[in-house]
Amino acid sequence: MPSFAASLAGFVLRTTGYYRRMFSGGPQFEQNIAKVRSAPSPAPKAHADVDIRHSEFQGRSVWHLAPKDRAPTAHILFWHGGGYVYPATDIHWKFLSRMASVHGWSITAPLYPLAPENTAAHITNWAMDYYTAYLADMGDTAFVMGGDSAGGGLTAALAHMARDAGHNLPASLLLICPWLDLDPAHPDQLKTEPRDGILTINGIAAGGLLYAGDLPRTDPRCSPIFGNWEGLPPILAFAGGDDILVTDSRALKAKLPSVELIELAGMLHDWPIFSFSESRKAQAKMANFVTPAVV
């Protein structure tokens, strides 16, 4: 059973509809996107034991978070979620700051272009440009690539593209409640939707079309589940039973049994980046998974 805090959060989010309104779909969806993005985008906040730096790549912000006064335990290239239409949130920055502070990660988090102004072809090309620049900066230093939700989908798509282009690959991949199939057509998603406090089927269907643009939704750049998953580094994935995207993680496990999938019943979308007791255990699991891969 989920902890009281996790259950309460799911109940409150379902009741208030705070996030579900952001992912509602329908004719007002793009208006909701514009309204949310009209507010100043959150950024990492000053932290006593985390060094925070900002840079730019092709006119886009890139944030760097690393522990102060000690060598990092791992280097992480992280792609944030947000349905490909929303920027990183305070929840993302709190999660990344904690991973830097508690687990010693040195994290690079690029703020990639968003839909509907940009679509999958451009966004994945931009991300691949950044990936190759990151490789050049890292030299022989091992790193891990990961992301949550849409960022998990982008992580997977980039890993496929990097492998196909003959680039060096990350030591491992972290997929946190990843969005791997833009088409929410799985029958189990209808059963899960009433329990999902963050996403709706109409919302991810609409967001998926905005992101895909002229590409078919089955293109692996849009829906990496349809890509070739052979020859990739080890993968740790997380999923929640009250998340309509849980079917994507299950499909990945069925397609690639070597994936280590941690699915918890009753947990909401993106639960590993929150502050529940289950989240803290998941974060420790990430750290334990990542460190042997890069040392």
Side-chain angles (χ1 to χ4, degrees):
M1 292 290 294
S3 64
F4 174 77
S7 297
L8 179 63
F11 172 78
V12 170
L13 290 174
R14 286 192 299 271
T15 302
T16 63
Y18 177 77
Y19 285 112
R20 288 171 67 96
R21 283 193 296 271
M22 294 172 61
F23 294 100
S24 60
Q28 75 280 9
F29 186 42
E30 292 195 46
Q31 295 176 11
N32 291 344
I33 294 170
K35 181 178 180 180
V36 170
R37 285 164 48 178
S38 66
S41 296
K45 294 179 173 62
H47 200 284
D49 57 358
V50 176
D51 178 58
I52 297 173
R53 295 183 298 108
H54 175 265
S55 65
E56 288 193 355
F57 180 78
Q58 295 180 2
R60 306 288 306 182
S61 288
V62 180
W63 289 97
H64 310 267
L65 302 87
K68 292 180 179 177
D69 304 323
R70 60 171 165 150
T73 57
H75 294 270
I76 313 293
L77 177 58
F78 189 86
W79 304 94
H80 69 83
Y84 297 113
V85 296
Y86 293 115
T89 66
D90 281 333
I91 293 173
H92 290 108
W93 299 129
K94 288 176 181 177
F95 162 67
L96 295 178
S97 291
R98 189 174 196 278
M99 297 308 292
S101 173
V102 175
H103 297 292
W105 285 7
S106 176
I107 302 160
T108 299
L111 302 189
Y112 51 90
L114 299 172
E117 298 89 346
N118 306 277
T119 58
H122 173 76
I123 293 169
T124 54
N125 283 339
W126 187 96
M128 181 53 62
D129 286 347
Y130 186 81
Y131 181 90
T132 55
Y134 182 82
L135 287 180
D137 288 341
M138 293 297 290
D140 293 332
T141 303
F143 69 97
V144 170
M145 186 162 64
D148 71 286
S149 194
L154 185 55
T155 295
L158 279 179
H160 296 173
M161 293 169 68
R163 178 205 55 207
D164 295 346
H167 294 311
N168 289 339
L169 294 177
S172 57
L173 300 175
L174 287 173
L175 304 181
I176 302 170
C177 300
W179 191 13
L180 303 176
D181 186 349
L182 295 188
D183 183 10
H186 196 290
D188 286 350
Q189 291 178 303
L190 284 173
K191 302 174 186 176
T192 306
E193 186 181 33
R195 305 194 307 272
D196 193 316
I198 295 179
L199 302 175
T200 70
I201 290 175
N202 285 342
I204 63 171
L209 289 172
L210 291 178
Y211 178 61
D214 293 334
L215 295 176
R217 285 184 292 179
T218 53
D219 188 296
R221 289 169 291 179
C222 301
S223 298
I225 195 65
F226 297 108
N228 174 14
W229 288 80
E230 298 301 320
L232 296 180
I235 299 171
L236 172 64
F238 295 88
D242 285 359
D243 175 7
I244 57 176
L245 296 187
V246 68
T247 54
D248 291 15
S249 293
R250 292 170 181 168
L252 175 58
K253 179 66 175 178
K255 187 167 189 173
L256 190 67
S258 62
V259 170
E260 183 175 0
L261 174 61
I262 298 175
E263 178 187 331
L264 295 190
M267 297 303 292
L268 52 71
H269 178 62
D270 256 2
W271 62 270
I273 74 171
F274 284 77
S275 56
F276 316 131
S277 59
E278 296 93 340
S279 310
R280 299 306 190 214
K281 291 177 183 177
Q283 291 158 16
K285 173 66 178 178
M286 294 179 209
N288 290 335
F289 175 78
V290 161
T291 302
V294 297
V295 172

